[in-house]
Amino acid sequence: MKYVILIHSNPDPWGHPTSRFTPEGKALPPEEHEAADKAFEDLLGEISESGELVHAEALAAPATSTLYGWSPQGHLVTDGPYAEAKEQLAGFFVIDTATPERAEEIAAQFAQPGGTIELRPGMQ
C-alpha cells in the first residue's frame, strides 16, 4: 500500500534539512544533529534497499509557488504561498509498505524539531 509522508515545517531561512533552520533545531547541539542525520541516512538506506522508498523530494520555499484557481470567468493565477499557516509543506516521501503498521513505523522516524509529520495513505 502506498503512503505519502508529508513534512510540514517553517525553517528560517528556508533550507533543508529543515530541522537545522527551525528555532527548535537551532537550539540543539551539533552532536544531536549529527546523530539525527546518521539515523536518517540509515533509514533511507533501509527503505531504499527494501524497495519501500518510491520517491522523495525537498520543496523550495513557499514564496516560490504559483497558485492556480478556478472561477466562472476563467483560471486565476496568484503567487504563493497558499496557506497563511505558520508551517508549510517542506517536502514529501512516497513509500510502499506491506502493512499500515510498517508505514507508521517509518513515518514516526521522520519526526524532527520544529516540524510536523503527516502520514497519509493513497487512494485505493
Side-chain angles (χ1 to χ4, degrees):
M1 180 175 202
K2 288 189 180 170
Y3 290 84
V4 64
I5 297 171
L6 301 168
I7 301 168
H8 302 275
S9 190
N10 189 28
D12 185 22
W14 193 267
H16 294 277
T18 56
S19 62
R20 291 195 182 253
F21 301 96
T22 62
E24 298 86 348
K26 289 176 184 178
L28 294 177
E31 305 82 44
E32 287 193 43
H33 282 293
E34 290 167 14
D37 290 348
K38 167 107 175 58
F40 189 69
E41 289 300 319
D42 291 347
L43 173 63
L44 289 182
E46 175 189 335
I47 63 177
S48 292
E49 287 178 26
S50 69
E52 293 170 307
L53 178 62
V54 176
H55 183 75
E57 194 75 38
L59 300 176
T64 65
S65 63
T66 304
L67 308 174
Y68 299 89
W70 181 90
S71 79
Q73 292 77 35
H75 297 289
L76 305 172
V77 180
T78 58
D79 292 334
Y82 173 70
E84 295 298 324
K86 181 178 176 184
E87 291 185 339
Q88 298 287 334
L89 184 61
F92 65 92
F93 288 74
V94 177
I95 57 174
D96 192 354
T97 61
T99 66
E101 293 79 16
R102 175 63 178 151
E104 292 167 0
E105 176 186 323
I106 293 170
Q109 295 179 66
F110 279 76
Q112 59 180 310
T116 302
I117 303 305
E118 177 182 353
L119 177 66
R120 187 181 301 178
M123 293 288 291
Q124 296 192 19

